[in-house]
Amino acid sequence: MTVLPILCGILLYVMMTPSSEDIEISGALIYFELNTPIQTLPITESQVNSWFVIISVFFLCLYLTHGISATDPTRRQHILEMAVEKCEGLVLDNMGEYFKGFAPFIAAVMVLSAFSSLLTLVGLYPPTSDFNVVAGWALLVFILITYYKFKCGPVHYLKSFGDPVPFLAPLNVISEVATPVSMAFRHYGNVLSGSVISVLVATGLQGLTHVLLGRLPGFLGEFPFLQIGIPAVLSVYFDIFSGCLQAFIFAMLTMLYVATGFPEEDYKAKLKKKAAKA
Amino acid sequence: MELAIGIILGCCALGAGMAMIAGIGPGIGEGSAVASACEAIGRQPECRSAVTTTMLMGCAVAETTGLYALVIAILLLFVAPGRFVNILTETMSNLG
């Protein structure tokens, strides 16, 4: 069941993609358009692929948690427990005791991002190389940061902009807005640049092979001599290493921004005051 | 008309190339970050994992300016030419 959505995605990709001979770099394909009263809503490849990723992660979780027992743990239960403990330890180290409940959210962000970037391995369009998808995630993180800054009331939130001197407030507003923008651009830029460079290298190697072997007759002249193996090295770096690293960095930055934005001391003082009043 | 379109495409490509000069900055920054991390690991090999994690985070943040340049270069290469050529053809047809 985990593999089925990915297979559906490949089938859809093969069916919908217009065939072309030369290598080209393009954005997400638009599969179809929904007509809503306000405007037409394009359903793109990135949306469809991210839903496939969500479904396959869901079934992966079901598979991993199926039949767990306290007395007689199986191998996959050990793997699952290790992952959960690692994630909880990471959240506890970086965010502190108050944000303990953040572990599932952070794990979800990390897994979704990593699996989306790894979709390139099966030849599908990775949703993370579409700016809109990543911008949505960054917006979610921005809402979380602002929510935790609001915990001490709106006055405290507005006061935090006048820190350290009040006339620096515009700069503080800019840096506040720059947080989600830079997060989104970082993730999207890394994944997209990887795929662009891979395509450029593949095209270059094709040209080079044509120069080297083009004069040989028949099958030998068409033989993709240099394209074997060399792009795979780049793929290991850009698709596997960079994809997983960006997922980790996105989750890490989420943790750090939320934890540092939250005025924990003031919030505790406020709680104490409330308790003393009551 | 062809000349104008050619100038637009050429200038877009030139601009994209020039935007990527910004790649120098993150390169130097990440290099110095990794150098310091190596020194720290050499001095205290036992805190290797913590130093590596912090270094990766720092590299990611230092990369941001380079990625802004990359995004601008990609916009100049793939989005801007079409826009500009559309604007050109529209104004030309308006002028008659």
Side-chain angles (χ1 to χ4, degrees), chain A residues 67-150:
Chain A
I68 44 176
S69 68
T71 49
D72 175 32
T74 54
R75 198 188 296 158
R76 74 183 121 146
Q77 189 182 340
H78 281 303
I79 295 172
L80 188 67
E81 279 175 359
M82 199 185 72
V84 169
E85 270 170 21
K86 270 261 158 63
C87 184
E88 281 182 344
L90 198 70
V91 171
L92 207 61
D93 280 351
N94 289 302
M95 297 179 84
E97 191 71 29
Y98 182 80
F99 289 103
K100 228 176 169 182
F102 252 66
F105 173 71
I106 297 296
V109 165
M110 219 188 280
V111 168
L112 185 59
S113 163
F115 273 66
S116 304
S117 300
L118 289 179
L119 266 191
T120 41
L121 289 182
V122 292
L124 287 177
Y125 181 83
T128 40
S129 74
D130 189 334
F131 180 62
N132 304 311
V133 174
V134 195
W137 299 354
L139 202 65
L140 184 68
V141 173
F142 179 67
I143 290 169
L144 271 178
I145 296 170
T146 318
Y147 173 76
Y148 277 100
K149 280 192 173 173
F150 253 96

Side-chain angles (χ1 to χ4, degrees), chain A residues 182 186 190 192 249 252-253, chain B residues 57 60 63-64 68 70 74:
Chain A
S182 76
R186 183 174 302 126
N190 270 299
L192 183 67
I249 283 170
M252 199 78 179
L253 283 177
Chain B
M57 285 292 306
E63 240 174 20
T64 312
Y68 288 153
L70 175 83
I74 285 173

Side-chain angles (χ1 to χ4, degrees), chain B residues 74-90:
Chain B
I74 285 173
L75 286 181
L76 274 174
L77 277 183
F78 297 116
V79 182
R83 282 275 158 84
F84 288 150
V85 170
N86 276 349
I87 291 170
L88 184 75
T89 44
E90 263 171 34

Side-chain angles (χ1 to χ4, degrees), chain B residues 8-19:
Chain B
I8 285 176
L9 295 183
C11 286
C12 282
L14 264 182
M18 267 148 76

Side-chain angles (χ1 to χ4, degrees), chain A:
Chain A
M1 281 308 278
T2 312
V3 193
L4 204 64
I6 308 286
L7 288 180
C8 287
I10 295 174
L11 198 69
L12 204 63
Y13 174 75
V14 170
M15 273 165 56
M16 303 291 282
T17 311
S19 64
S20 66
E21 280 291 302
D22 41 302
I23 297 171
E24 58 176 56
I25 302 161
S26 65
L29 281 175
I30 294 173
Y31 281 150
F32 59 91
E33 284 179 341
L34 275 183
N35 281 315
T36 56
I38 307 158
Q39 61 176 73
T40 52
L41 218 68
I43 302 295
T44 61
E45 211 176 354
S46 48
Q47 274 161 306
V48 176
N49 281 357
S50 49
W51 273 105
F52 283 140
V53 170
I54 292 166
I55 294 166
S56 65
V57 168
F58 174 71
F59 280 112
L60 186 70
C61 289
L62 275 191
Y63 167 74
L64 282 175
T65 51
H66 179 72
I68 44 176
S69 68
T71 49
D72 175 32
T74 54
R75 198 188 296 158
R76 74 183 121 146
Q77 189 182 340
H78 281 303
I79 295 172
L80 188 67
E81 279 175 359
M82 199 185 72
V84 169
E85 270 170 21
K86 270 261 158 63
C87 184
E88 281 182 344
L90 198 70
V91 171
L92 207 61
D93 280 351
N94 289 302
M95 297 179 84
E97 191 71 29
Y98 182 80
F99 289 103
K100 228 176 169 182
F102 252 66
F105 173 71
I106 297 296
V109 165
M110 219 188 280
V111 168
L112 185 59
S113 163
F115 273 66
S116 304
S117 300
L118 289 179
L119 266 191
T120 41
L121 289 182
V122 292
L124 287 177
Y125 181 83
T128 40
S129 74
D130 189 334
F131 180 62
N132 304 311
V133 174
V134 195
W137 299 354
L139 202 65
L140 184 68
V141 173
F142 179 67
I143 290 169
L144 271 178
I145 296 170
T146 318
Y147 173 76
Y148 277 100
K149 280 192 173 173
F150 253 96
K151 276 264 170 173
C152 285
V155 180
H156 189 281
Y157 176 71
L158 288 179
K159 247 188 210 167
S160 73
F161 284 113
D163 198 38
V165 259
F167 76 79
L168 284 181
L171 285 182
N172 280 332
V173 172
I174 290 173
S175 76
E176 192 75 16
V177 176
T179 307
V181 173
S182 76
M183 271 176 96
F185 272 145
R186 183 174 302 126
H187 199 152
Y188 146 84
N190 270 299
V191 178
L192 183 67
S193 67
S195 49
V196 168
I197 291 172
S198 302
V199 169
L200 286 182
V201 168
T203 324
L205 287 175
Q206 191 183 18
L208 206 62
T209 320
H210 195 70
V211 169
L212 283 179
L213 298 179
R215 307 210 170 180
L216 292 178
F219 170 73
L220 274 178
E222 305 271 306
F223 189 66
F225 167 62
L226 283 173
Q227 283 115 295
I228 299 174
I230 298 175
V233 180
L234 281 175
S235 173
V236 166
Y237 176 76
F238 283 123
D239 294 341
I240 301 178
F241 177 72
S242 186
C244 293
L245 186 69
Q246 287 315 310
F248 177 70
I249 283 170
F250 193 87
M252 199 78 179
L253 283 177
T254 307
M255 285 192 276
L256 288 181
Y257 282 135
V258 173
T260 51
F262 177 57
E264 199 171 0
E265 308 267 299
D266 298 347
Y267 186 62
K268 272 183 186 160
K270 188 189 164 195
L271 280 187
K272 246 180 206 167
K273 236 188 224 171
K274 250 188 189 171
K277 250 185 205 173

